[in-house]
Amino acid sequence: MNVAGVDCGAKSAKVLILGDEKVLARVAVLSGFDPKAAAAQALDEALKQAGLSRGDLSHVTATGTGKNEVVFATSEITEVGADARAVIVLFPAARTVIDIGAEEGRAIRISPEGKVIDFAINEKCAAGAGTFTETMARTLEVAVEDMGPLSLKSQNAVPMNAQCAVFAESEVVSLIHAKHSKEDIARAVHDAMADRIASMARKIGIDKSIVLVGGMAKNVGFVNSLQRNLKEEILIPENPEYSCALGAALTAAERAKGA
Amino acid sequence: MKPTYKTEPLRCWAKAKEIRQDYYKNYALAHEKGGLRWAGGAWSFDAIPAGLGDDVYPLTGEPYAAAIAWDKEFALQCHEAVEKAGYARDLCSYMRNYWGSIILNKYVFGGEFPKPDFIWQDHICCSHAKWYQVVRDLEGQDIPMYCLDVSVGPYEELTDNRLDYVVGQMHDGIEWLEKVTGRRFDDERLIRAVSNHCRSTALWAEVCALNKAIPAPLDEKTMYSLYVLGTLQKSSGIVADFTEELRDEVKDRVARGIAAVPNERCRVMSDTQPPWGFLKIFRYLEQYGCVSVGSLYTFGLIGQWEVKADGTWGARTTPEQMGIVIRDRDQALRVLASWELKKPEWQHFYSPQAKSEMMIRIAKEWTLDGVLLHYNRGCEGLSLGIAENRLAMIKAGFPVIVFEGNMGDEREFDEIQTLKRIDAFMESQGFEKDSQ
């Protein structure tokens, strides 16, 4: 039985296809201004990768900010539910999930059965999401992929107070003028973001094990900052940005069986 | 999905709307009838100016500002006007809406903003007295203003001295009213108004208590349009009589099993003022069969409660029901102060713990499945301690969803994010939308 999970996020649409509980394909396409088209393109590319056609899929479950744009989906699930579903399969001992995507940061406490006990999501401010790092990378004139490795070379912890992406940008400019190194500023950005995320996670209570997913889990600098802040080991799956898509696909498989 | 319960519209709905419309019209047209206008808060002791005559019309600030918030375009104009005038964006959003309406000289119900003849206020939070000081700055220092200090602590700690302090200010206030209006104060009218005040507020509690029934006969979005009459003029006979009619109708709905939400399968309560421009979130909940049966705010801002013999919350016994006959001004003022200072919404200004206890009581007695907390950036008073309330509710075993917003300033509310939170919360509690 083949099923697909589609995570139509703020920055990219991700599709993951499962065939008999094995991952057959993973594809991400930038959402741009047309998330509907991006989701369709991601599905077609994933099907091609898996050697399947749309008719071969028993069920498609959509999640993400743009889940309503996934017109070909059979059902939907929230990002919170999808994350919980995926992480409990990847790490059965997980009790806290932190997901940092482009637009949103989430902390979820889950039961041993993978049931959501409580959750918190960052508010309107972008300072708790991946877009924040991108903006700061632009200000520092470095590629966003280099922000993580760069921050690991930092020799000094520079405090950065701003909790808002707009104020943080002007603070970064001030730090540049104060001749702080790019390495130290990159670390300050990640530390500030980790502060915000850790505070959100503490609101719902943190239980071990902690799993980090979402695109920001690929940023080694942020992971380092968050680990130092939480003083706990953080587990990261192989393809962390596909967590929601995997959760959606697992849900699709369940629903296909139940149908 | 087939509805589980029968539903039908409220018969007295149109009457509630009519009373509200008349209230705002009467205030605007007071001078044409040879009457007087007074402005003040929804917490002010409105039974006292009633002693000046039946042609003395109030405009209470909070519900007026909430009406502005509902008109998103006008609310935005108000905020921009206030900010342009130099007032900070993080002040009470009701206050900012009200000031904006004055600065723009536009009454939200049409025409120019009607200037009050006097201000009758009490200082319940950091903003309330300041609110009307600025009204005088904007409208003219010639508007006489009287403000009662009511900071006498929680009701359970109310001593004779503390009560005397409030009642003394009321006596002074009556002399002041006579002086600034040139009218003679009528104690008989005061006594009647105090009696109406007690009747309106006890009856509203009775209406809310009827919502313990499953299915709930009323949903909170509807309740907002009904309780508002108590925030306009709880001392008026019209409001007291209407609330009695409403109580009878709701009682009848309970007896016949009439539901507010015919697919009810999940019950929650909210907290604090909602984002008035986005009451549709309550309709969104209904897609999950979820009814918000009220809140400490909806129950306790107007309603007067007491613990009944069986230990549950019920409507407070009025002085009249206790056989007390009010004979003179001093007795009327004592009854009024003692009655009003007991309402639940006063109490939690002094203690988030007291608020949590009342919320847990509601969650248990109204058989709730969860709580929807509004982190309301527009009201520092009622949001005080709300994060502690969240922890207490969770500890008591009630799941909580929080969303940030503002009762009067939609720029601080994110509709899509809020709906996403509701989806995640409902899903985590095992509820599905009817369409799925």
Side-chain angles (χ1 to χ4, degrees), chain A residues 83-124:
Chain A
D83 267 336
R85 186 72 193 82
V87 168
I88 203 69
V89 169
L90 295 169
F91 299 98
R95 295 295 173 266
T96 303
V97 185
I98 297 175
D99 182 342
I100 318 291
E103 184 199 41
E104 211 168 75
R106 289 182 286 275
I108 310 159
R109 204 145 56 84
I110 58 176
S111 71
E113 298 76 36
K115 189 179 179 303
V116 175
I117 298 171
D118 201 357
F119 65 92
I121 305 174
N122 72 310
E123 295 298 335
K124 265 178 147 180

Side-chain angles (χ1 to χ4, degrees), chain A residues 8-25:
Chain A
C8 196
K11 191 177 176 190
S12 58
K14 284 144 286 197
V15 170
L16 187 146
I17 296 177
L18 286 179
D20 295 329
E21 297 176 9
K22 284 202 179 89
V23 178
L24 302 181

Side-chain angles (χ1 to χ4, degrees), chain B residues 20-207:
Chain B
R20 184 170 168 270
Q21 276 166 2
D22 286 349
Y23 170 89
Y24 286 112
K25 200 163 82 185
N26 285 336
Y27 178 79
L29 302 178
H31 289 171
E32 289 176 22
K33 301 175 196 172
L36 293 173
R37 296 181 190 135
W38 68 268
W43 299 55
S44 56
F45 296 95
D46 61 272
I48 296 176
L52 294 171
D54 292 339
D55 59 347
V56 181
Y57 300 100
L59 176 71
T60 48
E62 301 93 319
Y64 177 71
I68 291 175
W70 187 81
D71 182 344
K72 294 190 188 76
E73 202 180 317
F74 184 52
L76 187 60
Q77 288 171 19
C78 289
H79 300 315
E80 285 173 353
V82 167
E83 282 154 27
K84 203 172 161 189
Y87 297 102
R89 187 174 162 160
D90 61 351
L91 295 172
C92 163
S93 60
Y94 277 169
M95 193 165 73
R96 288 186 286 124
N97 282 357
Y98 193 94
W99 294 346
S101 182
I102 294 174
I103 293 168
L104 296 169
N105 194 23
K106 276 188 190 168
Y107 194 44
V108 72
F109 302 102
E112 294 186 349
F113 187 85
K115 187 176 166 178
D117 297 304
F118 64 90
I119 293 164
W120 177 256
Q121 175 65 311
D122 52 7
H123 192 45
I124 57 157
C125 71
C126 299
S127 302
H128 265 63
K130 293 291 167 194
W131 178 329
Y132 286 91
Q133 282 182 335
V134 173
V135 169
R136 291 178 85 222
D137 290 344
L138 298 172
E139 293 265 58
Q141 294 295 327
D142 57 325
I143 303 174
M145 173 170 167
Y146 192 88
C147 187
L148 275 92
D149 176 18
V150 286
S151 56
V152 291
Y155 189 78
E156 60 181 17
E157 292 171 22
L158 190 67
T159 59
D160 286 346
N161 280 346
R162 290 178 183 193
L163 189 63
D164 286 347
Y165 174 65
V166 176
V167 172
Q169 293 177 76
M170 290 173 159
H171 277 293
D172 292 347
I174 289 173
E175 283 177 29
W176 178 87
L177 285 170
E178 286 185 315
K179 198 173 133 196
V180 300
T181 64
R183 290 192 177 199
R184 197 165 162 268
F185 193 84
D186 181 350
D187 287 342
E188 286 307 314
R189 285 184 198 280
L190 169 72
I191 291 167
R192 210 163 41 239
V194 170
S195 164
N196 284 332
H197 178 125
C198 297
R199 203 154 62 87
S200 300
T201 52
L203 281 164
W204 176 250
E206 231 182 294
V207 170

